[in-house]
Amino acid sequence: MSNFDDYDFDLDRDYDSQRGLDLDDELDMYDYDPDVRRRRPEGVRPAGSRPAGARRPAGSRPAASRSSQSRQGAARRPQGSRPQGSRSAGSRPSGSRSGNGRPSVTRPDGGRASSRAAADRRSSRPSNSRPAGRKKMSKAAQKKKKRRTIIIVEIVILLILALVFFLWSKFGKVNWDNINIDNIETNNLDAATEEVLSNYKTIALFGVDNRSNGKLDSGNSDAIILVSINNDTKDVKMLSVQRDTYLRVDDDLYRKCNYAYNHGGVEKALEMLNTNLDIKIDGYVAVDFYALATIVDCLDGLDLEITQKMIDTNNPETGQNALAGYIAEVENILNYYPKEEEGWKHSDCYFDSPGTYHLNGAQVVGFCRNRYAVNNDYGRAENQRMVIKMIVEKAKHASPSQLNDIADKVFPKIATSLSFSQCVGMATDVGKYNMAESSGFPFALKTKTVSKKTGSVVVPCTLTSNVVQLHKFLYDQDDYDPTDDMVDVISDHIKSETGLTESSAEITQATDGAN
């Protein structure tokens, strides 16, 4: 009888190795080929096979089922021998049976060749072939992932709807003007100019002097500012149209341009700007004292410089300090201090020394209205543009609560022709806006009294040459050619009525620097 230790018998290792074998491994181990058996004639054995009941020598296996490496190893070793210390994990004594009733076979390579062959077969299987249990888990995971994606999409949609509802609730407070901006008269512009203008948004800002009576459809527009927004670069340029500029405000009617708003409302004011300047306005926004003051207060005020001239200069009509008078008037109109007898405070209006002061909304409005301590209307318009730039910059960094306050308190005091989608788009882009240079129109001018009815007016010298410069400034158009049938006609009429030409200009408005 053979020595029991020679069989390297280990039940635990044998169980583990048998549990790791798949069907291909077992067929390979037992040299089982059903097709060959069915085709083999009865009583005929293949070459090299052993007789029935004969025991295979220990360590041997059919040559066809061995790898080339195992064959070479078997040739070098004595029959039934194995390398020193390399115990086969699944070997049993010859003739013993495994737990499944099949005879076990002891291999000289310790089962390594079979394991490598099995690993090769497994690696050669298609990557998408998985056991049935894993497929079910994959489908369940996919369903879970799909449900999670649907939930995320639903949440995003709800957030968008909530945002739209919120914005609508805020913008719904605005006085939406039902005028059709496309019906406002424009000049017959050539195709090249139409294409250039389409690359910009041109907005008209009107500051209406109606003493905050809540009506924005009438009153003199004491502040007229054209804003061009480059759709690509987001550069924002402002051009103040001097309120006393002598222009055609209606058919055969020439007056100060701010008269158009009071004469025919915002439609007539927009038409006046389009026809005199060869532009096509995309929309307008009109505000009064209250709106401007409230915006400033919602942004916690502005820091502005008070000069010695502002402290010293008096209103020639009242003899009072000019800046103090304007601030007191605004605080009185807005009833800024209800507990005060006249609604305003002395400390808000008078300044002991020049310097930079933190001003509230009413003080800022008074600052923007003052024209006696600055370079008349030109200096006042410059201050207005400066304040607008400061408001935009502060709005970029405003907190959500500040923006909410502006929406609740200011929007009801604003009138606009801009659509809801336009307002949302501009509000979304406000952080991208670059406040570029600004200036005043006319660029070259002279003041003159045309008649007792019109009084002292600002005369463009000439309108045609100033319109050329306007298109260069706002739209980067070189060598612009104004319309012959409108701008040139209006320019010739002003020239004949005032006798002023290009060489008559006495004032050239400077360009403000960009922020």
Side-chain angles (χ1 to χ4, degrees):
M1 180 179 292
S2 302
N3 191 334
F4 188 76
D5 290 337
D6 290 340
Y7 296 108
D8 192 24
F9 185 71
D10 191 327
L11 289 175
D12 292 335
R13 280 205 306 262
D14 182 67
Y15 174 78
D16 291 339
S17 65
Q18 292 295 330
R19 185 176 55 181
L21 294 178
D22 59 12
L23 183 59
D24 292 336
D25 294 333
E26 293 185 19
L27 289 175
D28 185 34
M29 179 181 292
Y30 301 128
D31 191 25
Y32 177 70
D33 189 344
D35 294 334
V36 173
R37 276 185 154 183
R38 283 196 296 271
R39 292 195 301 269
R40 185 182 305 147
E42 186 174 356
V44 178
R45 295 193 306 272
S49 64
R50 67 181 182 278
R55 178 176 295 180
R56 180 182 295 152
S60 67
R61 61 175 298 188
S65 64
R66 294 190 216 141
S67 65
S68 60
Q69 182 179 354
S70 65
R71 285 197 300 269
Q72 294 171 1
R76 290 193 300 268
R77 302 187 193 112
Q79 186 175 11
S81 66
R82 51 185 169 83
Q84 181 69 26
S86 59
R87 186 181 296 269
S88 173
S91 61
R92 290 177 180 269
S94 299
S96 66
R97 293 183 178 270
S98 63
N100 57 10
R102 294 172 180 168
S104 63
V105 179
T106 303
R107 300 183 181 182
D109 61 359
R112 286 190 297 273
S114 176
S115 299
R116 285 194 296 271
D120 291 342
R121 284 193 293 273
R122 284 193 293 270
S123 64
S124 65
R125 292 171 184 167
S127 60
N128 59 352
S129 62
R130 299 177 183 174
R134 291 185 64 186
K135 284 186 177 180
K136 291 181 179 179
M137 290 179 62
S138 178
K139 289 181 179 179
Q142 289 177 0
K143 289 181 179 180
K144 185 177 180 181
K145 183 178 180 180
K146 185 176 181 180
R147 285 196 300 270
R148 184 167 60 248
T149 302
I150 292 174
I151 292 172
I152 292 174
V153 171
E154 289 176 346
I155 292 174
V156 171
I157 292 174
L158 288 175
L159 289 175
I160 293 174
L161 291 175
L163 178 61
V164 171
F165 178 78
F166 173 79
L167 292 175
W168 177 254
S169 67
K170 299 304 179 182
F171 283 110
K173 301 173 183 290
V174 175
N175 295 302
W176 300 102
D177 198 326
N178 59 3
I179 68 170
N180 188 342
I181 203 73
D182 293 329
N183 293 335
I184 302 297
E185 182 181 344
T186 60
N187 297 338
N188 295 320
L189 304 174
D190 57 62
T193 299
E194 290 273 10
E195 183 178 358
V196 170
L197 296 182
S198 68
N199 295 324
Y200 295 80
K201 287 186 183 70
T202 303
I203 311 297
L205 301 181
F206 295 107
V208 183
D209 184 7
N210 58 12
R211 296 300 189 271
S212 292
N213 59 16
K215 296 180 180 180
L216 295 170
D217 56 355
S218 62
N220 287 330
S221 51
D222 279 354
I224 305 173
I225 301 177
L226 293 175
V227 179
S228 74
I229 305 173
N230 189 307
N231 295 331
D232 296 326
T233 65
K234 303 302 179 185
D235 286 341
V236 180
K237 293 183 179 180
M238 291 187 291
L239 187 68
S240 300
V241 180
Q242 301 300 329
R243 65 173 187 169
D244 292 338
T245 305
Y246 194 62
L247 297 173
R248 195 190 80 160
V249 297
D250 205 347
D251 295 339
D252 300 326
L253 179 61
Y254 287 76
R255 299 279 293 272
K256 294 178 179 180
C257 67
N258 70 338
Y259 177 74
Y261 200 107
N262 194 37
H263 174 67
V266 68
E267 292 97 331
K268 188 60 65 176
L270 294 173
E271 179 184 311
M272 177 270 299
L273 293 171
N274 282 342
T275 56
N276 283 272
L277 307 179
D278 264 356
I279 60 177
K280 189 174 184 179
I281 294 173
D282 298 303
Y284 83 92
V285 177
V287 299
D288 59 10
F289 291 174
Y290 176 87
L292 179 57
T294 306
I295 290 174
V296 173
D297 284 336
C298 289
L299 295 175
D300 297 330
L302 298 178
D303 294 329
L304 294 172
E305 183 183 2
I306 303 299
T307 65
Q308 187 65 50
K309 188 175 182 180
M310 292 179 182
I311 296 173
D312 297 339
T313 304
N314 292 331
N315 185 330
E317 298 177 3
T318 63
Q320 297 176 338
N321 176 276
L323 179 59
Y326 278 115
I327 296 174
E329 181 184 19
V330 175
E331 289 190 348
N332 174 267
I333 292 171
L334 302 181
N335 195 24
Y336 224 65
Y337 299 99
K339 295 182 179 180
E340 300 292 332
E341 183 178 354
E342 295 184 356
W344 61 277
K345 280 185 177 180
H346 184 277
S347 59
D348 281 358
C349 304
Y350 292 92
F351 301 88
D352 296 330
S353 60
T356 300
Y357 290 83
H358 191 73
L359 305 183
N360 62 34
Q363 290 173 307
V364 171
V365 174
F367 180 90
C368 290
R369 296 186 65 219
N370 179 26
R371 63 191 177 96
Y372 295 110
V374 292
N375 185 21
N376 212 315
D377 278 344
Y378 321 117
R380 173 166 67 176
E382 183 179 352
N383 283 342
Q384 291 170 354
R385 297 192 300 270
M386 177 182 66
V387 165
I388 291 174
K389 288 182 179 181
M390 295 176 70
I391 289 174
V392 171
E393 289 303 317
K394 291 204 73 171
K396 287 182 181 181
H397 306 94
S399 66
S401 62
Q402 288 176 315
L403 296 177
N404 187 66
D405 285 344
I406 292 175
D408 288 338
K409 298 176 182 179
V410 179
F411 283 8
K413 301 297 182 181
I414 290 177
T416 183
S417 64
L418 296 173
S419 66
F420 174 72
S421 60
Q422 286 177 310
C423 290
V424 172
M426 293 176 67
T428 303
D429 289 339
V430 69
K432 304 176 184 177
Y433 290 158
N434 307 309
M435 300 307 296
E437 56 189 2
S438 61
S439 189
F441 183 89
F443 299 95
L445 60 93
K446 182 178 180 178
T447 59
K448 183 174 183 177
T449 300
V450 178
S451 65
K452 289 183 179 181
K453 188 173 185 178
T454 60
S456 178
V457 296
V458 172
V459 180
C461 300
T462 62
L463 180 62
T464 295
S465 60
N466 274 279
V467 168
V468 171
Q469 193 170 349
L470 178 147
H471 279 257
K472 173 62 178 175
F473 179 79
L474 289 181
Y475 308 114
D476 293 322
Q477 279 185 285
D478 294 319
D479 302 323
Y480 177 70
D481 184 18
T483 51
D484 298 334
D485 60 342
M486 188 59 71
V487 172
D488 286 346
V489 171
I490 296 174
S491 182
D492 290 341
H493 178 90
I494 295 174
K495 188 192 307 182
S496 64
E497 192 172 2
T498 63
L500 301 180
T501 63
E502 284 190 51
S503 60
S504 304
E506 293 180 348
I507 297 174
T508 300
Q509 297 205 63
T511 299
D512 311 331
N515 278 1

